[in-house]
Amino acid sequence: MSRVLISLEDISLTYGGKPVFENLRMHICEGDKICLVGKNGAGKTTLMRLILEELELDAGKRFVLPGITIGYLAQKVVYPPESSVKQFVVDGLKPSVHIGLEDLGESREHLADMVIAPLGLEDAALMKTLSGGQLRRAALARALVEEPDILLLDEPTNHLDLGTIEWLETYLKAYRGALVCVSHDRAFLNAISRKVLWIDRGAVRSFSGGYQNFDAWAEQIMEQEAREIQNMQKKLEAEVDWTQGGVTGRRKRNQRRLSELHKLRDKLRADKASFNQTMRTIELDPLTPTQASKIVTEFKMVNKSYGDKPILKDFNLRIMRGDRIGILGQNGSGKSTFLKLLIGEIEADSGRVSRGKTMEIAYFDQNRVQLDPKKSLWQTLCSDGGDHVTLGSGAEQRQRHVCGYLKDFLFDPKVARNQVSTLSGGQQNRLMLAKVLANPGNVLILDEPTNDLDMDTLDMLQEILADYAGTLILVSHDRDFLDRTVSKVLAFEGNAQIEGYIGGYSDYLEAKKKQPKPEGLSKINNAERAFTENSSTKMSFKLKHELEKLPERMAKLEEEQAQLKLLLADPELYTSNPVVFDKSTKRFAESVKELDAAELRWLELEEVRLHSGE
């Protein structure tokens, strides 16, 4: 049986005058691979600080096994500016962890080299010269190199490219210590977690099925709460009927029952408000882009280099109205250069970039340069003054009160007059999204919009983008988000090699596996041709048959999910038949994935069918 490394029992904590946890209980055991989930502000970072013993408890007990080491990657990186990257990483090692005091030197440097190179860092670079993303990677290297008994990671995938994220997944899967990770990256959490701690309204719920089954489990919890509140409502209605029969005449005899009625009302109000806040979905008006010409932008034999480094070479691409293109690639591979050429911020060395005359670009910049830290949220959204946000443009233009619009993006209207500088990274990203999506134009460019966002905001953003009828260009390292939002992928592979694929990230990955390894550096593929590859010829009989069968398969999966939901709605199932409960939960999660895959495949084959003219 695994030893308990840290135990929190009946913990209560008030932070900044606000209760954060009440009667919290949780344990971290040897080898645990835990993902910590919850809304922004739920207390994820606070819980990590409790584990680190940085906060004093109001009540409860905290046990930490003597002698254990804890490593921590925080959101904010503190570093000595004159130190080299290697020295910063090596200084994170405690001699007693891996080697004795007499063995310092080459062994320590070897351990540092094992994590510095895969994270794309130069060991001799000074910390003060690093970008924000490089600082995060250096802090991650420092946290990993120690190999502590418990490793706490707060948004470790932010500012990492996809190749580095996949390396980190492999590293953490083989990691021998316990792991507690906060991340918005669903694919990353699916890969590394075996246990979920869900912070929900001041309590921590534990689920041992890993993140891949978390949504189905959480849905059951919410449905059970809904039933309990409904039953409470019925009981309340019965109590009201009784009181209307003449409370006054029986006051002395039945004061206790009347008192219980008021308590029940108060509890119902509190539970209902709490439940509604948890179940709240963000509903915004659909984005209505201004009509643009059919061809949005066309790259013709475009070349662009920086010094001796080629970024684009004889690059051809046509972006059509309504395209939904995901951009991925390593840092420095040319993604930002492509975007700057697209919007006309820089010019090509040679070739031609043609832009539609009616292009109206809305641009989300990951560096958030559009946000003035000295301005309030109100001033940011109402730049021309007043108290209404202008949504859309032209004939579709409409007005929305700034407080109501802030609520759509999960802001409390009370903070509307606060300065932007008081917001967390995730809140600043939400504010940027609110500003950009107020008028999305007909070409929406989002450069790493998912950094620091919680799952609820990600779901909201996916729904908004699903309804957007304009042209979407999305740069992201979030594989699950790409799978859910784009229909084409433009992959910047480095060395001016750029390839296009139909589908999302999973389709790109599958296509890459099937490709033969190139011998040496080959000339770049024509991205436009790659998007429409095999689409100019007729569909094969096999693909036609697959397309015809997919609607039937999707209908069966939907029917199966409905039956499983009905089965799992039984609150007694878990105790009466845990085997059926476990199998049904797992099967429900599998069927959700299968339905998503079937829908994506149907869309892909439909696109091929349309291009083939059949």
Side-chain angles (χ1 to χ4, degrees):
M1 185 174 178
S2 299
R3 291 184 302 169
V4 174
L5 303 180
I6 287 181
S7 177
L8 303 177
E9 291 284 350
D10 299 322
I11 298 296
S12 293
L13 177 70
T14 300
Y15 191 67
K18 178 183 176 182
V20 181
F21 296 117
E22 294 180 3
N23 301 318
L24 180 150
R25 292 186 178 186
M26 63 161 288
H27 310 285
I28 301 175
C29 300
E30 287 179 316
D32 273 350
K33 295 291 187 292
I34 299 170
C35 67
L36 190 58
V37 301
K39 293 184 176 182
N40 282 348
K44 299 187 291 293
T45 300
T46 302
L47 182 56
M48 286 195 168
R49 294 185 65 194
L50 276 176
I51 294 170
L52 289 164
E53 299 186 87
E54 290 183 355
L55 299 174
E56 291 295 326
L57 308 178
D58 295 335
K61 295 180 181 179
R62 173 172 47 202
F63 166 78
V64 180
L65 188 69
I68 68 166
T69 54
I70 303 175
Y72 181 41
L73 171 67
Q75 285 278 11
K76 187 176 180 180
V77 181
V78 179
Y79 61 93
E82 300 299 330
S83 173
S84 69
V85 169
K86 190 162 191 175
Q87 190 59 51
F88 175 71
V89 174
V90 167
D91 287 347
L93 276 165
K94 296 180 177 64
S96 59
V97 176
H98 297 287
I99 48 181
L101 288 167
E102 69 280 1
D103 295 321
L104 301 179
E106 290 186 5
S107 296
R108 291 166 66 91
E109 293 193 2
H110 172 68
L111 290 167
D113 290 339
M114 289 175 63
V115 292
I116 289 175
L119 288 171
L121 296 166
E122 295 289 338
D123 54 11
L126 294 181
M127 295 295 292
K128 66 181 181 182
T129 67
L130 302 186
S131 66
Q134 289 171 325
L135 285 173
R136 288 279 295 167
R137 295 202 296 275
L140 177 58
R142 182 180 171 116
L144 295 177
V145 73
E146 186 182 344
E147 294 190 352
D149 298 299
I150 301 175
L151 180 59
L152 308 178
L153 300 177
D154 197 349
E155 295 289 2
T157 64
N158 277 1
H159 306 291
L160 299 187
D161 56 49
L162 288 167
T164 310
I165 291 173
E166 289 169 353
W167 170 85
L168 182 60
E169 283 178 0
T170 303
Y171 184 98
L172 295 177
K173 280 192 244 182
Y175 187 68
R176 290 174 295 180
L179 171 69
V180 181
C181 179
V182 174
S183 178
H184 66 269
D185 189 327
R186 285 183 169 92
F188 182 74
L189 293 180
N190 286 342
I192 67 166
S193 69
R194 295 199 293 264
K195 182 178 178 181
V196 181
L197 293 180
W198 179 22
I199 302 179
D200 179 34
R201 291 162 285 171
V204 175
R205 305 173 189 261
S206 179
F207 175 60
S208 58
Y211 187 77
Q212 62 269 29
N213 298 316
F214 168 72
D215 284 341
W217 173 75
E219 186 177 351
Q220 294 168 34
I221 298 293
M222 291 297 99
E223 288 176 353
Q224 184 175 346
E225 284 198 18
R227 287 194 298 272
E228 290 173 355
I229 287 175
Q230 190 176 21
N231 291 336
M232 194 187 303
Q233 182 79 51
K234 290 178 181 177
K235 184 178 179 183
L236 176 62
E237 288 169 358
E239 295 289 325
V240 169
D241 289 342
W242 176 84
T243 60
Q244 289 173 344
V247 173
T248 303
R250 298 183 292 270
R251 184 178 289 121
K252 291 182 181 179
R253 188 159 43 95
N254 295 298
Q255 277 187 342
R256 180 183 61 81
R257 190 173 184 187
L258 189 58
S259 175
E260 289 176 354
L261 168 61
H262 289 298
K263 289 179 183 177
L264 183 61
R265 278 177 171 158
D266 291 338
K267 187 175 188 310
L268 176 60
R269 288 191 192 102
D271 285 355
K272 204 164 189 177
S274 178
F275 178 75
N276 288 341
Q277 180 63 24
T278 301
M279 294 296 293
R280 181 183 178 202
T281 57
I282 303 168
E283 296 179 0
L284 298 179
D285 294 332
L287 302 180
T288 51
T290 305
Q291 287 300 310
S293 58
K294 192 172 182 181
I295 298 176
V296 174
T297 306
E298 188 169 31
F299 290 72
K300 279 273 193 177
M301 298 298 289
V302 171
N303 289 277
K304 185 66 181 178
S305 299
Y306 289 108
D308 296 331
K309 183 179 180 182
I311 304 297
L312 301 178
K313 187 176 180 183
D314 298 337
F315 178 68
N316 296 289
L317 176 67
R318 179 177 290 175
I319 299 175
M320 305 299 291
R321 187 177 66 208
D323 273 351
R324 309 174 67 81
I325 302 175
I327 310 291
L328 55 88
Q330 296 183 352
N331 295 331
S333 60
K335 303 189 298 294
S336 296
T337 301
F338 169 75
L339 292 182
K340 289 177 181 178
L341 285 166
L342 175 63
I343 65 178
E345 187 175 317
I346 61 174
E347 295 298 325
D349 297 337
S350 63
R352 188 178 80 247
V353 181
S354 303
R355 303 174 189 89
K357 293 180 180 179
T358 57
M359 277 180 66
E360 293 183 7
I361 296 175
Y363 186 37
F364 177 98
D365 175 22
Q366 63 170 311
N367 297 317
R368 301 191 282 259
V369 294
Q370 298 177 46
L371 295 184
D372 184 343
K374 295 180 181 179
K375 286 187 176 180
S376 68
L377 282 71
W378 192 301
Q379 291 170 322
T380 299
L381 295 177
C382 303
S383 55
D384 296 328
D387 56 7
H388 282 74
V389 183
T390 301
L391 304 180
S393 61
E396 301 293 336
Q397 192 177 100
R398 58 201 181 280
Q399 300 290 315
R400 181 81 188 278
H401 194 279
V402 62
C403 289
Y405 190 61
L406 281 169
K407 286 175 70 175
D408 288 337
F409 286 84
L410 299 182
F411 285 104
D412 187 333
K414 294 177 183 176
V415 306
R417 300 289 186 182
N418 291 1
Q419 285 191 340
V420 171
S421 59
T422 64
L423 302 179
S424 68
Q427 289 171 323
Q428 288 189 23
N429 261 20
R430 271 193 274 137
L431 182 62
M432 266 288 293
L433 285 170
K435 183 176 177 64
V436 171
L437 295 176
N439 183 11
N442 51 42
V443 179
L444 180 58
I445 300 175
L446 303 178
D447 188 5
E448 296 289 3
T450 64
N451 283 345
D452 302 312
L453 297 183
D454 59 19
M455 298 297 185
D456 291 327
T457 312
L458 281 175
D459 289 340
M460 170 204 73
L461 182 55
Q462 287 168 10
E463 290 174 13
I464 292 174
L465 295 182
D467 293 334
Y468 178 59
T471 302
L472 174 66
I473 311 292
L474 171 65
V475 181
S476 181
H477 65 262
D478 189 322
R479 295 156 293 179
D480 180 81
F481 192 75
L482 285 169
D483 272 341
R484 293 169 185 253
T485 51
V486 303
S487 57
K488 299 177 180 178
V489 166
L490 197 62
F492 286 72
E493 308 284 8
N495 297 310
Q497 183 176 349
I498 305 163
E499 299 179 358
Y501 301 86
I502 292 176
Y505 177 80
S506 298
D507 302 285
Y508 156 76
L509 196 62
E510 192 63 30
K512 288 289 290 181
K513 289 177 182 177
K514 295 176 181 178
Q515 286 180 356
K517 293 184 179 179
E519 297 179 4
L521 296 177
S522 60
K523 190 176 180 179
I524 72 159
N525 292 331
N526 184 313
E528 182 182 4
R529 188 190 68 226
F531 278 160
T532 57
E533 189 174 10
N534 297 326
S535 62
S536 60
T537 57
K538 291 188 175 182
M539 289 184 75
S540 67
F541 175 78
K542 184 178 179 181
L543 290 180
K544 283 183 183 177
H545 183 71
E546 183 182 358
L547 180 59
E548 290 170 359
K549 291 294 183 183
L550 275 171
E552 181 183 349
R553 171 163 171 71
M554 289 188 288
K556 286 182 178 178
L557 285 168
E558 288 172 347
E559 184 181 350
E560 182 185 13
Q561 286 180 21
Q563 292 174 351
L564 287 168
K565 274 189 177 182
L566 188 63
L567 178 64
L568 292 168
D570 180 3
E572 305 297 327
L573 180 63
Y574 179 78
T575 52
S576 64
N577 199 333
V579 174
V580 172
F581 175 84
D582 184 57
K583 286 183 178 179
S584 300
T585 302
K586 289 178 180 177
R587 177 55 200 153
F588 183 82
E590 290 169 359
S591 68
V592 169
K593 288 183 179 180
E594 288 174 15
L595 182 57
D596 285 345
E599 289 173 346
L600 282 171
R601 182 59 174 164
W602 182 85
L603 287 170
E604 179 183 330
L605 292 178
E606 267 294 299
E607 189 165 353
V608 173
R609 183 186 67 79
L610 289 171
H611 279 294
S612 68
E614 295 189 15

